[in-house]
Every structure is written in C-alpha cells, then in structure tokens.
Amino acid sequence: MNKHHYLAIMAGGVGSRFWPESRTNHPKQFIDILGIGKSLIRMTYERYLPIIPKENIYIVTNELYRDLVKKHIPEISDNQILCEPSRNNTAPSVAYTTWKLHALDPKSSFIMASSDHLILNEDKLRSNMLKALDFVEKHDSLVTLAIEPSRPDTGYGYIQYESTNIDGVHKVKKFVEKPDSTTAENYVQSGEYLWNSGMFVWKTSDLITAFQKYNREIFDIFELGKSFYNTNKEDQFIQEFYPKTPSISIDYAILEHATNVYTIPSEFGWSDLGTWASMFSEVEKDENGNLLKCDKKIILDTNNSLVRAGDNKLVVIKGLDNYIVVDNDDILLIYPMKDEQEIKKVTNDVQNKYGINYI
Amino acid sequence: MNKHHYLAIMAGGVGSRFWPESRTNHPKQFIDILGIGKSLIRMTYERYLPIIPKENIYIVTNELYRDLVKKHIPEISDNQILCEPSRNNTAPSVAYTTWKLHALDPKSSFIMASSDHLILNEDKLRSNMLKALDFVEKHDSLVTLAIEPSRPDTGYGYIQYESTNIDGVHKVKKFVEKPDSTTAENYVQSGEYLWNSGMFVWKTSDLITAFQKYNREIFDIFELGKSFYNTNKEDQFIQEFYPKTPSISIDYAILEHATNVYTIPSEFGWSDLGTWASMFSEVEKDENGNLLKCDKKIILDTNNSLVRAGDNKLVVIKGLDNYIVVDNDDILLIYPMKDEQEIKKVTNDVQNKYGINYI
C-alpha cells in the first residue's frame, strides 16, 4: 500500500428519509440499514482497508457524531476524526480535509467517499480507485468515479464525458443538475452521461490550487490555519473559522469550473441508499419479496414489504402489500412503499407537532 | 339500598382475543379497552354503586390477579376478593361465592356480573337488576338477564323463553348452545329467543338447594367448608378443595336442569366486548371511522381502523383501511379487522414459537 494514499469518509449527514430509523442524533450511516450486522460506516471503513493504510483513513463528520464514530470504528485515533462545528455543505468539508492532510503529507492524495452508500462489487470499486489514484499522481487532475446509469433516474446529477480516454480515464465535459425524466432518458440513450456518485480522487496539492483559483474565500480561510492542523490548536481554529466558510457544494465551488476534471465510468453495483425504497430495491428479499429485519415475527399474507423492529419486539402482521413498517422504541411508522418520498415531509410535520426529539 | 343485596363481579378470565393488549398477566378486565381512562373492571364496580352497598361488592378472580384487583378497586377489603386457585369454569366460581355469602348472611341474594362487558344504558341495567332482586326475594327462582338480540349472532348461546310473564319476568323454556347462522336467523325471527349474557340474580339459599339437587359433587365440596368461610381458615380450605371441583359451567351444571329459571328480556346496550371488532362496533369513532387511542400521531388516508399505542410512542400511519394496529412495549400487531377471529389462533402460534411471555 502507498503511504501517500488517504481516505476521507464523509459522515456528517442525517439521511432523513430513513426516518424513523435515522434520527438527528443517530443518522443513517450509523445504522445497520441492510440488517447484516454492520452499520454502513463500518462497511465503508472495512471496504477500503485492503488498499488504504488504516492510519490514513479519516472520518469527516459533525461534532454531534464524534462518539458514534468512535463506537463504530474503535480502531481510529482522535486525530483521524474531523469534526465540523457547522453544516456548510461539501466544499468546506473537502477543504478542511485537504489542508489537514496536506499539512501532514504534502504528497498526499485522497479518496473522498460517502459513509452511507452501498457497493455490491467491492473488488471492482477498489481497482477503479487504485486506477484513479495512479492517474492523479501522474496528472494534475481531479477525478470523479461516476456511475454507468442503469435507468433514467431523475434523483441524481449527471456528468457528461468525452469518449476519448487515457487508460479508461475520460475528460469530463460538464456537470448537470438533476434532470426531468425526458432529459434523463435522452442522457441515458446518448451514452455520454454518467451518474454523479460523489466519489472523488485527487491530490491535496491539486485541490489547494483549485480552491485558490475558483473559491478564494474558502482558500483564504483554510490557508489561515496552515500551522494549526494536526496540532492541539486545530480544534480551536476550526471552531472559530469553519462556521465562517460559505455553504457551497464541491461541485459548484470547484468541479463545474475546473478544466482538469476527469472521470472513470464505473459499474460496481453502487447505490446511494437514498431512501427506504432505493435500499429495498437493491437487496435480496425472501420468497414473498419481503425484507424482514426483526427477530420474532409471525408474518401472514404480506408481500413486497420491509419490516424492521428491535430484537425484543414480537411483530405480528397480516395482509400488507408494498409497505414499510419500522418500529422503534418511540416511533411506529406504517407507510406505503410507493409514497415513501413523502416521509421527508412527514418528518417536518412531526417536528412541528411534537418537536425535534422525534426527528 | 337493601343490605341483603350483594354483587359478585367475575374477573378471572383472560380475554385472549384482545391480544396483545390483554395478556395472561394483565387480562382484558384490567385494561382501559375503550380508551376513556378507566378499566372495564373499574367501570363495572362503579356501575353498581348506586344500588349495591359498597361493602357488599365482591370480586371473584384468580390468585394471579389479586394485586391487580386491589390496584383497580382500592376501596375493597381483602375479604371481598375471592381468589380461585385453579380455573374450573363458572359453576365452582358461583358455588364458592354462594357458600361464602350465605355464611355471612343467610338472607343474601346476589347479582353475578362479568367484569369485562360494556353497558351503554346503565340506568336501565340497574332498574332491571332491582326488578330481578325483588323477584328472587319473592319467588324461589334463578333469574338470568338475557339480551333482546339485535342480529343473528352465532357467537352467543341463546335462551328460549315463554311469552307469559309476571311483571316482565318470564319463565325460561330452555338454554341452547351457539347456533349456526340459519338457526340463529330463525331464533331472531321467532321472537322467542334471547342472548345469554351471563348476568344472573339469585338468592344464595336457592342456589345451595339447586347445587344439592343438580350437582352433588360441587355441593359436597363447598358444604364441607361451611365453618371456614370468612374466617382465617377460608384460604387454606379453598387452596386445598377448590381444585378438586369439576370444571363445568353454571349453565350446564344447574341452569339447563333447574325448573325455576326465569329471565328478564333486556335491552340496555350490552356488549360482551369479546373481540377487538365487537368493541370497535360499539364505540363512537372519529369522522374517518377510526378509533385512535394514541397520544402522538400522524394518521393519513386511514379509515375504519383501530390504533392503540402508548403515550410515549409517536405513530405515523398512511393508507390502512379496516385494520387493527396495537403497539405494546414488546408486541406490535397489524391485523385486518375482518380477520380478527384468527387472533386467538395467532396467540397459540406465538406461544408455540416464542413462549408464554408473549401471551
């Protein structure tokens, strides 16, 4: 393994559409969403151990989740957890990671990966990541691993890329926002578009150059802390200055402007597990099409449904079709799978009616 | 109030079809099934206070429920709780009550009432009960308050009665078992049949005579304890001899044989609240036909359904029609209302699979 290779796992989000399993104080990445005995963040961590030295794996999260990160990845040291004191979108997260790793190791390159995605073919992912790490070492470039679209999904941003390539690495033409369904179909049929998965590979030095060029405001703030990263002054600096950064995505701050963005079109069984239904569609179901994550149960005439409950709860259900049933200590959700996009709105109603303890 | 009038509230049953709300260690009569802030046994107790001296109200229950009785009716003294050491059907319960009350007061008569029924018109009930008490004082007779049938229900036993009467009290022709639906329709159309509600009024002296005549085995056992009732030896006697009584219903042991059985055809909004659906049919629902006994809730597109959950649970439901949803600490039931007769069978399956803690 190359000691200049790093991994930053982004773990600051909430994943509110997995409510009531995901909660502000216990977000999606810390949940065993698939019911296999491991949280998504733990799966992400283990996925990269074969290619990244474990002391080079960093978690970027929110102050609120520091203890949860330690619980799920006890192997990690305090210095490997970057805590954002405020939620300012992805560009400041990337910048913080970049400056911190660059201060540690000026030759560092890093993979940026989400903590809450599903990868079915991990070997393929790792080989693509190694290819990307190799590419960014040789070329001053920013690489995104984008996904070969399997359907005209309107829930993702798309990336248009050039067909010419260097060893399977293609130049990116442009980033586009989530399309309407006709546009999405055209994108997929053209063969020129990929899904933007939010997985990136880059050298810290190239990113610093890019921030300097395309977002001077962020550059100035993080440059100011140069001598503090990885010292006992880092925390205080971040507490004070991080909240002053503009809230902006890395796509919008850098990638849509930079001219050295490349992509590796990838196909490794990726899902962002954005909602109960998208998770449900990815995993193996039983002979009735159900995913039953509950220990004690009597389930009759029930099909295509997801049922989750704690191990001490006995669940007796009859006659549901295409339903989500989630039973927590303090919340019971019984919702049609087809309407699950509404759950985000429901959580707003819940907050208005019953306060933040339930969301 | 007449000091020779007593009330025995029968409270030994389990009511398994209200599972999972009713449990072996917390049966139906101790539950606020209607969601009005009072358990059924408490409602029964209060219902008779206007006509029966409170020191004359006795509870016949199982050893297991002694503490629950005290909790729900703290006004009651230890001597007013009769605990059966075994479940031997109704005849031994009636006999125990009879001998105990007769030892206290040879002139006693008593109402026998279930602890878990619903009465909508309590004034009417009380006036019928007083009429029955008056009748049994004047005539050596056993009176049952039977219900004018409002539908050809196949879930009840029926009583055929004579049209001639003394002040509204009719002689009973015969008791019949639960009929099939054609027979039930004939019964209802004939106008000669009533539902057997299990409410009785009788003198203890007449009952002792009846046991002596029609069930010598029970008579001999309780006669043996004559000098022990209402003394500190009663408990020991009952512990030893009660389990030796035959397990037989009062209908089968006495009423089907006795020639002095009378009835008052009654109409006071009675329901035995035998199941979730029968309870549901009796009570007032909201504008969507729902009965929502849960504090915190967001209920969408849901109709004709019963939802019960603890006050600390937030319930979010969409799209159920004609369902029963009951959420307890350790059990979640989601079941079609139309299939609720199956719940008793389900509890057997639960016991086989997960043991008695869940039933």
PDB file of all heavy atoms in Angstrom, chain B residues 132-143:
ATOM      1  N   ALA B 132     -85.122  -7.826  39.234  1.00  0.00           N
ATOM      2  CA  ALA B 132     -84.737  -9.232  39.397  1.00  0.00           C
ATOM      3  C   ALA B 132     -84.511  -9.567  40.870  1.00  0.00           C
ATOM      4  O   ALA B 132     -84.930 -10.622  41.357  1.00  0.00           O
ATOM      5  CB  ALA B 132     -83.479  -9.528  38.579  1.00  0.00           C
ATOM      6  N   LEU B 133     -83.862  -8.649  41.595  1.00  0.00           N
ATOM      7  CA  LEU B 133     -83.621  -8.880  43.029  1.00  0.00           C
ATOM      8  C   LEU B 133     -84.946  -8.990  43.779  1.00  0.00           C
ATOM      9  O   LEU B 133     -85.124  -9.856  44.652  1.00  0.00           O
ATOM     10  CB  LEU B 133     -82.764  -7.743  43.613  1.00  0.00           C
ATOM     11  CG  LEU B 133     -81.266  -7.797  43.250  1.00  0.00           C
ATOM     12  CD1 LEU B 133     -80.589  -6.441  43.482  1.00  0.00           C
ATOM     13  CD2 LEU B 133     -80.544  -8.884  44.057  1.00  0.00           C
ATOM     14  N   ASP B 134     -85.866  -8.138  43.397  1.00  0.00           N
ATOM     15  CA  ASP B 134     -87.190  -8.170  44.009  1.00  0.00           C
ATOM     16  C   ASP B 134     -87.882  -9.504  43.710  1.00  0.00           C
ATOM     17  O   ASP B 134     -88.458 -10.136  44.596  1.00  0.00           O
ATOM     18  CB  ASP B 134     -88.002  -6.991  43.438  1.00  0.00           C
ATOM     19  CG  ASP B 134     -89.349  -6.858  44.124  1.00  0.00           C
ATOM     20  OD1 ASP B 134     -89.361  -6.757  45.371  1.00  0.00           O
ATOM     21  OD2 ASP B 134     -90.380  -6.864  43.419  1.00  0.00           O
ATOM     22  N   PHE B 135     -87.746  -9.934  42.457  1.00  0.00           N
ATOM     23  CA  PHE B 135     -88.399 -11.176  42.032  1.00  0.00           C
ATOM     24  C   PHE B 135     -87.856 -12.389  42.788  1.00  0.00           C
ATOM     25  O   PHE B 135     -88.611 -13.218  43.273  1.00  0.00           O
ATOM     26  CB  PHE B 135     -88.228 -11.364  40.523  1.00  0.00           C
ATOM     27  CG  PHE B 135     -88.988 -12.536  39.973  1.00  0.00           C
ATOM     28  CD1 PHE B 135     -90.340 -12.425  39.639  1.00  0.00           C
ATOM     29  CD2 PHE B 135     -88.370 -13.772  39.785  1.00  0.00           C
ATOM     30  CE1 PHE B 135     -91.056 -13.515  39.133  1.00  0.00           C
ATOM     31  CE2 PHE B 135     -89.074 -14.863  39.278  1.00  0.00           C
ATOM     32  CZ  PHE B 135     -90.414 -14.731  38.948  1.00  0.00           C
ATOM     33  N   VAL B 136     -86.525 -12.487  42.907  1.00  0.00           N
ATOM     34  CA  VAL B 136     -85.957 -13.678  43.566  1.00  0.00           C
ATOM     35  C   VAL B 136     -86.241 -13.692  45.065  1.00  0.00           C
ATOM     36  O   VAL B 136     -86.261 -14.759  45.680  1.00  0.00           O
ATOM     37  CB  VAL B 136     -84.431 -13.861  43.307  1.00  0.00           C
ATOM     38  CG1 VAL B 136     -84.163 -14.027  41.823  1.00  0.00           C
ATOM     39  CG2 VAL B 136     -83.604 -12.744  43.918  1.00  0.00           C
ATOM     40  N   GLU B 137     -86.483 -12.499  45.631  1.00  0.00           N
ATOM     41  CA  GLU B 137     -86.876 -12.496  47.041  1.00  0.00           C
ATOM     42  C   GLU B 137     -88.268 -13.102  47.240  1.00  0.00           C
ATOM     43  O   GLU B 137     -88.510 -13.814  48.214  1.00  0.00           O
ATOM     44  CB  GLU B 137     -86.876 -11.068  47.594  1.00  0.00           C
ATOM     45  CG  GLU B 137     -85.550 -10.719  48.231  1.00  0.00           C
ATOM     46  CD  GLU B 137     -85.235  -9.243  48.069  1.00  0.00           C
ATOM     47  OE1 GLU B 137     -86.085  -8.394  48.418  1.00  0.00           O
ATOM     48  OE2 GLU B 137     -84.137  -8.942  47.533  1.00  0.00           O
ATOM     49  N   LYS B 138     -89.107 -12.809  46.270  1.00  0.00           N
ATOM     50  CA  LYS B 138     -90.491 -13.280  46.387  1.00  0.00           C
ATOM     51  C   LYS B 138     -90.683 -14.715  45.912  1.00  0.00           C
ATOM     52  O   LYS B 138     -91.601 -15.399  46.327  1.00  0.00           O
ATOM     53  CB  LYS B 138     -91.415 -12.347  45.599  1.00  0.00           C
ATOM     54  CG  LYS B 138     -91.512 -10.960  46.220  1.00  0.00           C
ATOM     55  CD  LYS B 138     -92.392 -10.048  45.388  1.00  0.00           C
ATOM     56  CE  LYS B 138     -92.430  -8.651  45.971  1.00  0.00           C
ATOM     57  NZ  LYS B 138     -92.674  -7.638  44.918  1.00  0.00           N
ATOM     58  N   HIS B 139     -89.841 -15.135  44.983  1.00  0.00           N
ATOM     59  CA  HIS B 139     -90.008 -16.465  44.390  1.00  0.00           C
ATOM     60  C   HIS B 139     -88.706 -17.244  44.515  1.00  0.00           C
ATOM     61  O   HIS B 139     -87.641 -16.684  44.309  1.00  0.00           O
ATOM     62  CB  HIS B 139     -90.358 -16.342  42.898  1.00  0.00           C
ATOM     63  CG  HIS B 139     -91.494 -15.414  42.607  1.00  0.00           C
ATOM     64  ND1 HIS B 139     -92.812 -15.833  42.591  1.00  0.00           N
ATOM     65  CD2 HIS B 139     -91.528 -14.068  42.347  1.00  0.00           C
ATOM     66  CE1 HIS B 139     -93.604 -14.793  42.310  1.00  0.00           C
ATOM     67  NE2 HIS B 139     -92.844 -13.699  42.173  1.00  0.00           N
ATOM     68  N   ASP B 140     -88.792 -18.514  44.840  1.00  0.00           N
ATOM     69  CA  ASP B 140     -87.580 -19.336  44.835  1.00  0.00           C
ATOM     70  C   ASP B 140     -87.189 -19.587  43.384  1.00  0.00           C
ATOM     71  O   ASP B 140     -87.738 -20.484  42.731  1.00  0.00           O
ATOM     72  CB  ASP B 140     -87.840 -20.672  45.541  1.00  0.00           C
ATOM     73  CG  ASP B 140     -88.050 -20.469  47.035  1.00  0.00           C
ATOM     74  OD1 ASP B 140     -87.779 -19.338  47.523  1.00  0.00           O
ATOM     75  OD2 ASP B 140     -88.501 -21.403  47.708  1.00  0.00           O
ATOM     76  N   SER B 141     -86.277 -18.775  42.893  1.00  0.00           N
ATOM     77  CA  SER B 141     -86.023 -18.816  41.449  1.00  0.00           C
ATOM     78  C   SER B 141     -84.596 -18.376  41.141  1.00  0.00           C
ATOM     79  O   SER B 141     -83.920 -17.763  41.974  1.00  0.00           O
ATOM     80  CB  SER B 141     -86.994 -17.872  40.740  1.00  0.00           C
ATOM     81  OG  SER B 141     -86.810 -16.558  41.245  1.00  0.00           O
ATOM     82  N   LEU B 142     -84.182 -18.709  39.933  1.00  0.00           N
ATOM     83  CA  LEU B 142     -82.873 -18.301  39.426  1.00  0.00           C
ATOM     84  C   LEU B 142     -83.148 -17.426  38.202  1.00  0.00           C
ATOM     85  O   LEU B 142     -83.806 -17.889  37.259  1.00  0.00           O
ATOM     86  CB  LEU B 142     -82.052 -19.533  39.027  1.00  0.00           C
ATOM     87  CG  LEU B 142     -81.993 -20.649  40.094  1.00  0.00           C
ATOM     88  CD1 LEU B 142     -81.341 -21.903  39.518  1.00  0.00           C
ATOM     89  CD2 LEU B 142     -81.247 -20.160  41.340  1.00  0.00           C
ATOM     90  N   VAL B 143     -82.676 -16.186  38.245  1.00  0.00           N
ATOM     91  CA  VAL B 143     -83.015 -15.261  37.156  1.00  0.00           C
ATOM     92  C   VAL B 143     -81.773 -14.930  36.326  1.00  0.00           C
ATOM     93  O   VAL B 143     -80.705 -14.659  36.868  1.00  0.00           O
ATOM     94  CB  VAL B 143     -83.639 -13.965  37.713  1.00  0.00           C
ATOM     95  CG1 VAL B 143     -83.804 -12.922  36.603  1.00  0.00           C
ATOM     96  CG2 VAL B 143     -84.996 -14.262  38.349  1.00  0.00           C
TER      97      VAL B 143
END
